[in-house]
Amino acid sequence: MKRLLSILSVLALGGITSCSYDYKNTDGPTTGHLKIGIDDSYSLMMDSQIYTFEALYTYAKVLPTYKPEAEVIQDLMNDSIQAAVICRDLTPNEKAFFEKKQRIVTTTKIAVDALAFIVNPDNPDTNLTLATIKNIFTGATSKWNQIDKNAKEDVINIVFDNDKSCNARTISETLLDKKAFPPNTFAVKSNAEVIDYVSKNKNAIGVISVSWISDMHDPVSQGFMKKIKVVALSDKENAGADDFKKPYQAWIYEKTYPLRRDVYFVKTGLQESLGSGFAAFVAGEKGQLIIHKMGMVAATAPVRTVHITDH
């Protein structure tokens, strides 16, 4: 809550004001109701966006549901929701589906995310090459002593938030060529549960969105960080100490952290609907500032202009 109030106070200085007239029952860019599906990976980010947007526009009500990415897309196609936040664009077949229904689809990039790999605080293996990560997820490496000869011969437990989530899909497409995960892989129900499991199991390696641990001013994110260690990655085969990067904002922005992905706001409603207004807010200066302040990489990096004068 402290973070949300801080964000709201910053945005208020930008001169945004809510509507002063009662359009509670009118659907417009800043009024009405919007049902939106959000992959659990982005629940913290979108909670902040929704809280701020509704505080500024008091006749707007954004109704989120948090589900795995595959279920969010299915809800979008079933017209159960009018918008979605996921980490991929719709496929040509999905767009063709909406075209047949004479529905206009608008996709807007709102952030750059990264997959974060987390291990138990007692695990010393916090620098891993991308090749090692791939071997873990293909099953070629299944025990910790295959990575570190001084480690015990314990099976590596791989844990995801959900087998239908964007995290699982990204690993499948990026590292596995869409092949099956090894038998030492299982899923829980959320990114928070992944963090909890890894914190209690020394042989685990978990996969989460960096958005869950990126906000240095949020007690929720910092509470998670105290329970786990974040793995640093390098895509170089013979990596030196300086080549390993953690999924911090600077390294994602500079593209030196290897496993990055874009986050999209997908809307299927009318152009002058609340979906359009909320999408414009998230993709605009104020929404991008929220993303930046949370330690993620905004799609449009906030620009700070400094005037230097000679005296």
Side-chain angles (χ1 to χ4, degrees):
M1 181 62 69
K2 182 179 178 182
R3 179 190 69 199
L4 296 175
L5 292 175
S6 175
I7 291 172
L8 183 56
S9 65
V10 170
L11 298 185
L13 294 176
I16 296 179
T17 57
S18 63
C19 300
S20 59
Y21 41 86
D22 187 354
Y23 275 2
K24 292 182 182 179
N25 299 315
T26 302
D27 186 31
T30 58
T31 60
H33 293 76
L34 171 68
K35 293 181 179 180
I36 182 170
I38 301 167
D39 185 284
D40 173 70
S41 292
Y42 308 116
S43 60
L44 293 182
M45 176 184 75
M46 292 308 298
D47 278 347
S48 294
Q49 299 280 2
I50 293 169
Y51 178 90
T52 307
F53 185 78
E54 289 184 342
L56 296 171
Y57 301 104
T58 56
Y59 299 130
K61 188 64 179 177
V62 180
L63 307 170
T65 56
Y66 299 104
K67 294 183 178 183
E69 181 184 73
E71 295 182 11
V72 170
I73 293 173
Q74 191 60 50
D75 285 348
L76 196 67
M77 299 179 78
N78 291 337
D79 286 334
S80 300
I81 56 177
Q82 296 84 49
V85 174
I86 52 180
C87 78
R88 70 168 177 84
D89 196 355
L90 296 183
T91 66
N93 286 339
E94 289 166 344
K95 291 180 179 179
F97 172 83
F98 286 108
E99 287 178 4
K100 289 181 180 179
K101 297 177 67 175
Q102 296 184 327
R103 299 289 296 275
I104 299 174
V105 176
T106 305
T107 303
T108 306
K109 178 180 171 181
I110 60 173
V112 182
D113 182 32
L115 282 181
F117 299 91
I118 59 174
V119 294
N120 186 272
D122 293 332
N123 193 326
D125 294 310
T126 54
N127 283 355
L128 299 176
T129 65
L130 195 58
T132 299
I133 286 289
K134 184 171 182 177
N135 285 338
I136 290 173
F137 284 88
T138 59
T141 297
S142 60
K143 296 182 179 180
W144 285 109
N145 66 346
Q146 292 176 269
I147 300 172
D148 180 358
K149 63 181 180 180
N150 296 318
K152 294 183 179 180
E153 193 177 354
D154 293 322
V155 173
I156 301 171
N157 295 322
I158 303 170
V159 57
F160 284 97
D161 53 333
N162 191 289
D163 59 2
K164 296 181 180 180
S165 73
C166 64
N167 295 331
R169 180 187 57 77
T170 302
I171 289 290
S172 175
E173 293 178 354
T174 305
L175 301 179
L176 304 182
D177 294 326
K178 299 184 179 181
K179 297 177 182 177
F181 287 95
N184 55 319
T185 306
F186 70 98
V188 284
K189 294 181 180 179
S190 67
N191 284 258
E193 288 191 23
V194 173
I195 295 170
D196 185 62
Y197 181 87
V198 171
S199 72
K200 297 175 182 177
N201 294 271
K202 64 180 182 179
N203 297 322
I205 183 168
V207 185
I208 61 172
S209 163
V210 74
S211 65
W212 280 79
I213 53 174
S214 61
D215 193 336
M216 298 302 173
H217 304 289
D218 179 44
V220 175
S221 291
Q222 291 311 294
F224 288 143
M225 285 292 290
K226 293 176 182 178
K227 299 170 66 175
I228 47 89
K229 285 182 179 178
V230 180
V231 173
L233 295 183
S234 174
D235 54 7
K236 295 183 180 180
E237 196 169 317
N238 298 309
D242 293 337
D243 295 321
F244 290 95
K245 305 294 184 182
K246 291 188 177 182
Y248 295 154
Q249 190 177 50
W251 309 137
I252 299 170
Y253 178 76
E254 291 183 354
K255 300 182 180 181
T256 51
Y257 183 79
L259 289 178
R260 306 172 307 278
R261 59 192 180 182
D262 295 334
V263 184
Y264 296 93
F265 190 112
V266 182
K267 181 187 71 68
T268 63
L270 299 175
Q271 291 303 311
E272 297 302 319
S273 65
L274 182 57
S276 294
F278 187 47
F281 174 83
V282 176
E285 180 182 356
K286 310 310 178 190
Q288 293 292 285
L289 179 60
I290 292 174
I291 293 171
H292 181 74
K293 286 177 66 65
M294 290 182 67
M296 295 183 66
V297 176
T300 305
V303 177
R304 181 184 176 191
T305 303
V306 178
H307 296 281
I308 301 175
T309 58
D310 294 328
H311 295 284

